[in-house]
């Protein structure tokens, strides 16, 4: 019989997250996790625990993580973003990144309408969540999954498509890092005026003290909780109007307004001294909350359900193909070096941390470029996903 006590459920989720992260940092585990991203185990191990009836499919612990832990971590990850530094990257780099994001959105639309006759009526939520993930990373997937109320039975297939297709493409991009002159068969790339170095000066990270950690929580948690409360209040105020707009149902909810409020407030506050929360460990704490939250997603997911919906994998392959096509066209038009679309694509599909690793593979000074482009994608992902959701609901 699955655990019922919410605190016991939360403890097991934390135990799984800690064990996976410990293994990823161990001497022997680093080789394995260089190939298999830790986030996959954060989803798959709890899913196995769920299949073995150790963890429940539903729990108040999961609801609390979605309502408070996820917004808290999302705020920390966004508020520390150096937005002016992103704009100093140079217009060709930003254009390639934005076109790549547009390719993800176009791929979502095309693949969904090609295969929707083979899918359940609520499968559009899968395409919305993966749109967020493939533009800005896992935190966007998590936020959109909650925002559009993706059914638990579709969470497993969505995770499989997101991970399988995304990491096949990651392997191809890493392979191309050793063959960057290949692009010269199609056009002669021009050197870009790089503003990456002065835009990404790293702040030396000193150990975080207990006092700093308390300050971090004291700032971020009230803002996140307040934003979620404000989102709920706003939704209640306009709910009567929304009931007259069927297309908005399933897209706009109290949770959606709350997540948008968290994101917007974090963006605005990133222009204030609160961006210095990075020195207080905001990014590590933010990622830690996401790791724990992903275990709750995995516990609710039925991974085997992908066997009932194999067409989703085919849709994912077509989808990523559209994204690649968009990048190929804009890169040819701007004659950018291969590292620009490669890093931009992984910044979209895999998020900041993986993009930084890929950047370092393409050049020792390009890790910061991947990090900043990944942060830009993180800012855009939730908004883009909600835009796709509105389109699906309006068009049908």
């Amino acid at each position: 019989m699955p655990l019922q006590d919410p605190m016991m459920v939360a403890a097991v989720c934390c135990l799984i997250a800690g064990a996976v992260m410990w293994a990823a940092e161990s001497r022997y585990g680093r080789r394995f996790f260089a190939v298999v991203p830790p986030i996959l185990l954060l989803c798959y191990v709890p899913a196995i625990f769920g299949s073995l009836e150790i963890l429940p499919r539903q729990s108040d612990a999961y609801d609390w993580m979605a309502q408070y832990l996820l917004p808290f971590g999302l705020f920390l990850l966004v508020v520390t973003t150096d937005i002016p530094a992103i704009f100093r990257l140079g217009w060709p780099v930003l254009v390639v990144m934005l076109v790549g994001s547009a390719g993800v959105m176009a791929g979502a639309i095309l693949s969904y309408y090609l295969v929707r006759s083979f899918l359940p009526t609520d499968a559009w939520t899968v395409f919305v969540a993966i749109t967020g993930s493939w533009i800005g990373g896992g935190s966007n997937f998590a936020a959109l999954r909650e925002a559009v109320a993706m059914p638990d039975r579709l969470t497993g297939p969505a995770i499989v498509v997101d991970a399988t297709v995304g990491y096949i493409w990651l392997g191809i991009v890493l392979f191309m890092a050793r063959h960057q002159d290949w692009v010269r068969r199609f056009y002669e790339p021009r050197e870009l005026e790089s503003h990456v170095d002065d835009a990404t000066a790293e702040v030396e990270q000193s150990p975080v003290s207990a006092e700093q950690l308390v300050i971090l929580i004291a700032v971020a948690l009230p803002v996140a909780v307040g934003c979620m409360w404000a989102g709920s209040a706003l939704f209640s105020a306009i709910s009567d109007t929304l009931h007259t707009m069927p297309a908005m149902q399933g897209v706009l909810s109290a949770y959606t307004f709350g997540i948008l409020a968290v994101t917007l407030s974090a963006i605005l506050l990133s222009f204030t001294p609160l961006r210095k929360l990075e020195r207080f460990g905001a990014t590590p704490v933010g990622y830690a909350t996401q790791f724990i939250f992903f275990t709750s997603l995995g516990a609710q997911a039925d991974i085997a359900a992908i066997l009932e919906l194999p067409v989703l994998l085919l849709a994912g392959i077509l989808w990523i193909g559209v994204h690649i096509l968009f990048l190929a066209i804009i890169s040819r038009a701007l004659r950018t070096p291969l590292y620009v679309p490669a890093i931009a694509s992984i910044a979209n599909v895999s998020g900041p941390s993986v993009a930084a690793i890929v950047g370092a593979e393409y050049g020792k000074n390009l890790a910061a470029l991947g990090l900043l482009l990944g942060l830009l994608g993180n800012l855009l992902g939730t908004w883009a996903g909600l835009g796709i959701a509105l389109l699906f609901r309006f068009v049908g």
Side-chain angles (χ1 to χ4, degrees):
M1 182 177 178
L3 295 171
Q4 299 299 323
D5 183 357
M7 287 304 297
M8 287 293 294
V9 172
V12 172
C13 288
C14 291
L15 177 63
I16 293 171
V20 171
M21 291 301 112
W22 175 82
E25 291 296 317
S26 68
R27 183 175 64 175
Y28 299 106
R30 287 177 183 173
R31 294 182 179 180
F32 174 78
F33 286 103
V35 179
V36 179
I39 198 169
L40 291 187
L41 267 66
L42 291 175
C43 293
Y44 290 160
V45 173
I48 294 172
F49 275 45
S51 299
L52 296 175
E53 296 190 351
I54 298 173
L55 286 174
R57 295 297 188 192
Q58 298 290 335
S59 172
D60 290 341
Y62 307 150
D63 297 336
W64 183 88
M65 290 181 193
Q67 187 68 26
Y68 300 113
L69 188 65
L70 172 63
F72 170 70
L74 187 62
F75 176 83
L76 289 176
L77 292 175
V78 175
V79 76
T80 54
T81 302
D82 189 351
I83 295 177
I86 292 175
F87 287 104
R88 291 199 300 270
L89 291 174
W91 71 267
V93 175
L94 293 177
V95 167
V96 171
M97 177 68 183
L98 293 175
V99 170
S101 300
V104 172
M105 298 176 71
I109 296 168
L110 177 62
S111 58
Y112 173 69
Y113 283 111
L114 282 177
V115 304
R116 68 171 178 170
S117 60
F118 303 98
L119 298 173
T121 55
D122 50 7
W124 62 273
T125 58
V126 172
F127 290 79
V128 170
I130 296 179
T131 295
S133 179
W134 283 0
I135 288 181
S139 61
N140 297 110
F141 177 97
L144 287 164
R145 186 256 184 192
E146 299 295 328
V148 299
M150 181 195 297
D152 293 339
R153 61 185 172 79
L154 292 178
T155 300
I159 291 172
V160 171
V161 173
D162 183 10
T164 303
V165 177
Y167 284 103
I168 287 174
W169 173 233
L170 173 62
I172 295 172
V173 170
L174 288 172
F175 174 79
M176 291 192 299
R178 299 290 186 268
H179 306 278
Q180 295 189 52
D181 287 339
W182 168 80
V183 75
R184 297 182 186 276
R185 297 183 181 183
F186 303 94
Y187 63 89
E188 186 65 27
R190 62 186 178 88
E191 292 299 321
L192 301 178
E193 291 186 25
S194 176
H195 304 279
V196 174
D197 292 339
D198 59 30
T200 59
E202 295 186 8
V203 178
E204 185 176 348
Q205 185 71 50
S206 57
V208 178
S209 67
E211 293 81 1
Q212 290 175 320
L213 193 57
V214 170
I215 293 171
L216 185 74
I217 297 172
V219 172
L221 187 58
V223 172
V225 172
C227 286
M228 297 305 291
W229 175 86
S232 180
L234 177 59
F235 180 76
S236 297
I238 65 173
S239 58
D240 291 340
T241 302
L242 292 177
H243 283 314
T244 65
M245 306 168 66
M248 295 293 185
Q249 297 178 13
V251 177
L252 296 182
S253 64
Y255 193 87
T256 307
F257 281 117
I259 288 296
L260 291 178
V262 169
T263 306
L264 184 58
S265 64
I267 291 173
L268 294 176
L269 291 173
S270 71
F271 291 96
T272 73
L274 284 181
R275 188 168 65 82
K276 295 180 181 179
L277 286 174
E278 177 61 38
R279 300 175 182 176
F280 290 20
T283 296
V285 172
Y287 275 119
T289 64
Q290 305 304 298
F291 295 154
I292 296 171
F293 178 74
F294 264 94
T295 62
S296 74
L297 287 186
Q300 300 172 73
D302 183 5
I303 302 297
I306 190 64
L307 300 176
E308 301 174 9
L309 297 170
V311 71
L312 276 177
L313 273 177
L314 297 178
I317 294 171
L318 171 62
W319 188 346
I320 204 73
V322 174
H323 166 70
I324 296 168
L325 178 62
F326 271 55
L327 285 173
I329 292 172
I330 191 62
S331 299
R332 173 67 179 83
L334 298 180
R335 294 193 295 120
T336 62
L338 181 60
Y339 70 80
V340 174
I343 297 173
S345 179
I346 298 306
N348 274 148
V349 175
S350 300
S353 57
V354 179
I357 296 171
V358 170
E361 286 293 316
Y362 276 79
K364 62 180 181 179
N365 297 322
L366 295 176
L369 174 65
L371 180 64
L372 285 178
L373 288 181
L375 291 173
L376 175 60
N378 201 10
L379 294 176
L380 298 175
T382 301
W383 303 89
L386 289 175
I388 293 296
L390 288 172
L391 175 66
F392 287 161
R393 298 299 287 166
F394 272 115
V395 176

